[in-house]
Amino acid sequence: MRVATVLHHPVRPVPSYRSTLFTPSPAKMKTLRFSFSHRSTKFKVLAAKKQLPELRSRKQKQDGENLLSRDQKAEEGFDLGWLPAFPHVLIASMSNFLFGYHIGVMNGPIVSIAKELGFEGNPILEGLVVSIFIAGAFVGSISSGSLADKLGCRRTFQIDTIPLILGAIISAQAHSLDEMLWGRFLVGLGIGVNTVLVPIYISEVAPTKYRGSLGTLCQVGTCLGIITSLFLGIPAEDDPHWWRTMLYIASLPGFILALGMQFTVESPRWLCKGGMLNDAKAVIANLWGESEINKAIEEFQLVIKKDGSDLDSQWSELLEEPHSRVAFIGGALFLLQQFAGINGVLYFSSLTFQDVGITDGALASLLVGVTNFAGLRSEKYCALCASYLMDKEGRQKLLIGSYLGMAISMLLVVGATSLPLDEDFSHNLSILGTLFYIFTFAIGAGPVTGLVIPELSSNRTRGKIMGFSFSVHWVCNFLVGLFFLDLVETFGVAPVYAGFGGVSLLSALFAYYFIVETKGRSLEEIEMSLNANSTPGNK
């Protein structure tokens, strides 16, 4: 359990303008429920081409009706179709800010915490304080799908702020190891639920055209949370009690999230499944435009009729076709993402930088954090690179390109550490490889993975598939953190990073053969076309 020993080096451990944000829609007053409208997969591009006839004809008709308005928008030079949904997505992404903050908050202060609570010098207990967070997240991710199915996203978000707030306060007031462990477990429990909910919520409230762009706010929130915790952690080097202040601060975003979700909308798909058609229409009109109401409601009802409601869905359905196929993809994507080494690089990047001459651990960690965020920036729109590319190039291309870039990055680090190069050149090449690795992860493998899984999932099982997928994420996250240092000590940096590069190449191949392109298609179109491809006789 040497994880904690390194984690405490300030290392980056590793989410008309008619918004209803300030005009609560009647949808919020109802009992809430999640709608999941994707379909399990036959993972080839041909699946994207084989849309059901009624959906294809409807889409062609709509394209003709909207041609004039699109031309007008192009002439104006501004496309603000994303703006009504943005405040709702932004508030939901506060959960990812909390996620990032909590995975970074223990980096610097863990030494002071260990000393004050009486377990200084015990790497196992230090590791337990860090890893208990992941254990809580695993439990939360498993339970999140069922909660969202019954309560809806908004209420689940609000209820989930309870363990987030309580956990932060208990941790801040802890005077014993047991109190700290309970606080960290509660925080992890809340984070586990929210990391599943956010991509589902965004995929269901965002307009089809902007679903990818808005979906990258998850990654932005996580990066900002990590950077914030790193900045706030600087005084911990001089003040041994500063960690309590940092943990008290961690409770504030929870209050903001609970209050903010009161002014957001519920998923129109969940409302439609619950029989609240008027509320669903109001949400669609506010976020997507009145011209989308009839088409959207018709598609929702068609999918519900064919697929059934998630009210009575069971976990055992994930073992049946076509749901098992998407569950396999979801679990595999997160397994590959984690074993491609992202959290090994993030958790222990300061060691790499120290090896090449950067002795300031806090500076090294902050450099990684800023790079992770910078990977999301776009020059043209001053928005996020991933945001721009997601809906321009598509999910599959972005995943493939991201993993290829990560593989090349690891090759650079391996060459820098194992080839007889000039010392300064070797140091610079190692830093370049590490930063390029984080950059390429941040524009593809990071944001796309969490978004594409709910897009491919069926209406009936989306919550449970997401819960299963994230549970795989947390288990792999834990294993990487637990064994990374031992592997480095046993085999050396170069072989371990070469292994990360090999998994990155395997991930690119997986994305090429198994991921269906989902950009520009409604969740219902995706689900019904994939469902058609999974029936007998469709090749």
Side-chain angles (χ1 to χ4, degrees):
M1 281 287 266
R2 191 151 0 205
V3 178
T5 310
V6 181
L7 282 176
H8 65 215
H9 296 311
V11 184
R12 276 250 339 164
V14 141
S16 69
Y17 179 108
R18 289 188 297 182
S19 169
T20 57
L21 177 60
F22 303 106
T23 308
S25 115
K28 303 186 293 197
M29 319 296 265
K30 307 279 184 179
T31 307
L32 304 157
R33 183 137 229 273
F34 245 7
S35 83
F36 310 126
S37 53
H38 301 332
R39 198 73 184 171
S40 73
T41 75
K42 191 121 183 178
F43 331 80
K44 287 281 187 181
V45 177
L46 60 91
K49 296 178 180 178
K50 295 180 68 173
Q51 301 177 15
L52 291 185
E54 62 255 45
L55 288 179
R56 185 167 55 236
S57 61
R58 220 172 16 244
K59 183 174 177 63
Q60 291 170 346
K61 179 179 179 182
Q62 184 191 16
D63 289 343
E65 292 173 348
N66 292 338
L67 183 59
L68 179 59
S69 62
R70 289 179 184 175
D71 291 340
Q72 290 172 342
K73 286 181 181 178
E75 290 175 4
E76 293 170 2
F78 294 98
D79 186 353
L80 300 179
W82 54 271
L83 194 55
F86 179 77
H88 308 274
V89 171
L90 183 64
I91 290 175
S93 297
M94 180 65 69
S95 299
N96 289 81
F97 177 88
L98 271 169
F99 173 42
Y101 188 92
H102 279 292
I103 62 177
V105 74
M106 285 292 169
N107 275 341
I110 186 66
V111 176
S112 299
I113 293 173
K115 181 180 294 186
E116 187 168 343
L117 299 186
F119 56 93
E120 183 181 13
N122 189 327
I124 294 179
L125 293 181
E126 290 179 1
L128 185 60
V129 168
V130 175
S131 61
I132 196 70
F133 169 87
I134 298 177
F138 173 81
V139 175
S141 64
I142 287 292
S143 62
S144 59
S146 298
L147 286 173
D149 288 347
K150 293 189 167 44
L151 302 175
C153 283
R154 287 181 60 253
R155 288 292 174 260
T156 304
F157 270 123
Q158 290 179 313
I159 292 172
D160 192 52
T161 59
I162 296 174
L164 287 170
I165 294 171
L166 285 179
I169 293 175
I170 291 173
S171 299
Q173 294 180 336
H175 292 285
S176 69
L177 175 62
D178 289 344
E179 291 177 356
M180 176 59 69
L181 292 176
W182 273 113
R184 290 287 290 170
F185 180 83
L186 286 173
V187 167
L189 186 68
I191 293 298
V193 173
N194 280 351
T195 51
V196 173
L197 285 184
V198 174
I200 293 178
Y201 181 78
I202 293 176
S203 70
E204 296 204 346
V205 302
T208 298
K209 182 178 179 180
Y210 312 100
R211 195 171 59 236
S213 300
L214 292 174
T216 58
L217 287 181
C218 297
Q219 184 77 0
V220 176
T222 301
C223 295
L224 288 176
I226 293 173
I227 292 175
T228 300
S229 67
L230 293 174
F231 272 116
L232 291 177
I234 293 175
E237 297 182 2
D238 300 318
D239 184 353
H241 305 293
W242 179 250
W243 61 271
R244 295 188 183 274
T245 301
M246 293 181 67
L247 290 172
Y248 277 124
I249 292 174
S251 67
L252 297 179
F255 288 107
I256 296 173
L257 179 63
L259 179 62
M261 291 308 297
Q262 191 62 31
F263 298 96
T264 61
V265 297
E266 182 53 86
S267 161
R269 293 172 171 90
W270 185 86
L271 293 170
C272 188
K273 285 191 295 184
M276 295 173 272
L277 290 181
N278 290 334
D279 291 342
K281 291 177 180 179
V283 172
I284 294 169
N286 281 319
L287 300 189
W288 304 353
E290 294 183 0
S291 62
E292 296 288 329
I293 295 177
N294 292 335
K295 172 180 177 289
I297 293 296
E298 184 180 354
E299 287 185 350
F300 295 170
Q301 292 178 329
L302 182 59
V303 166
I304 293 171
K305 180 179 178 181
K306 289 178 176 292
D307 195 37
S309 172
D310 57 4
L311 291 172
D312 58 349
S313 65
Q314 303 294 326
W315 280 99
S316 59
E317 294 181 37
L318 269 60
L319 301 175
E320 304 170 358
E321 283 289 353
H323 311 303
S324 61
R325 201 175 288 254
V326 181
F328 163 74
I329 289 181
L333 280 177
F334 273 122
L335 183 146
L336 291 169
Q337 181 200 67
Q338 293 302 302
F339 286 112
I342 182 58
N343 282 319
V345 174
L346 289 179
Y347 285 162
F348 308 108
S349 56
S350 66
L351 294 181
T352 303
F353 287 128
Q354 288 169 7
D355 286 343
V356 297
I358 298 180
T359 57
D360 188 332
L363 176 61
S365 295
L366 187 57
L367 181 60
V368 172
V370 171
T371 303
N372 194 16
F373 179 70
L376 302 170
R377 301 298 295 177
S378 165
E379 296 179 0
K380 183 174 182 180
Y381 296 106
C382 293
L384 305 162
C385 239
S387 204
Y388 175 78
L389 294 172
M390 189 90 73
D391 288 318
K392 289 293 183 181
E393 299 299 328
R395 284 60 153 165
Q396 187 188 45
K397 286 184 180 179
L398 208 52
L399 266 181
I400 295 172
S402 174
Y403 278 119
L404 289 177
M406 291 163 64
I408 294 172
S409 303
M410 289 293 93
L411 181 62
L412 292 178
V413 176
V414 170
T417 56
S418 60
L419 296 178
L421 304 174
D422 176 77
E423 184 176 0
D424 289 339
F425 179 74
S426 176
H427 291 172
N428 292 334
L429 188 62
S430 181
I431 294 174
L432 176 64
T434 301
L435 297 183
F436 186 63
Y437 174 89
I438 295 166
F439 179 88
T440 52
F441 172 86
I443 64 171
V448 173
T449 301
L451 177 67
V452 76
I453 298 171
E455 287 184 326
L456 293 175
S457 302
S458 74
N459 178 54
R460 182 176 176 84
T461 59
R462 183 172 300 130
K464 290 180 173 60
I465 286 176
M466 285 295 288
F468 165 76
S469 300
F470 268 95
S471 68
V472 173
H473 166 274
W474 291 116
V475 170
C476 295
N477 185 315
F478 176 79
L479 292 175
V480 169
L482 183 63
F483 293 112
F484 178 82
L485 280 183
D486 286 336
L487 289 173
V488 169
E489 289 184 0
T490 302
F491 300 104
V493 172
V496 172
Y497 275 43
F500 290 160
V503 175
S504 296
L505 287 176
L506 180 62
S507 302
L509 290 174
F510 183 87
Y512 179 79
Y513 285 106
F514 288 93
I515 300 301
V516 173
E517 185 52 67
T518 58
K519 77 165 181 175
R521 306 170 68 202
S522 73
L523 303 186
E524 287 68 35
E525 285 183 81
I526 298 167
E527 174 169 359
M528 297 184 73
S529 64
L530 293 175
N531 184 51
N533 285 321
S534 66
T535 56
N538 288 297
K539 302 290 184 183

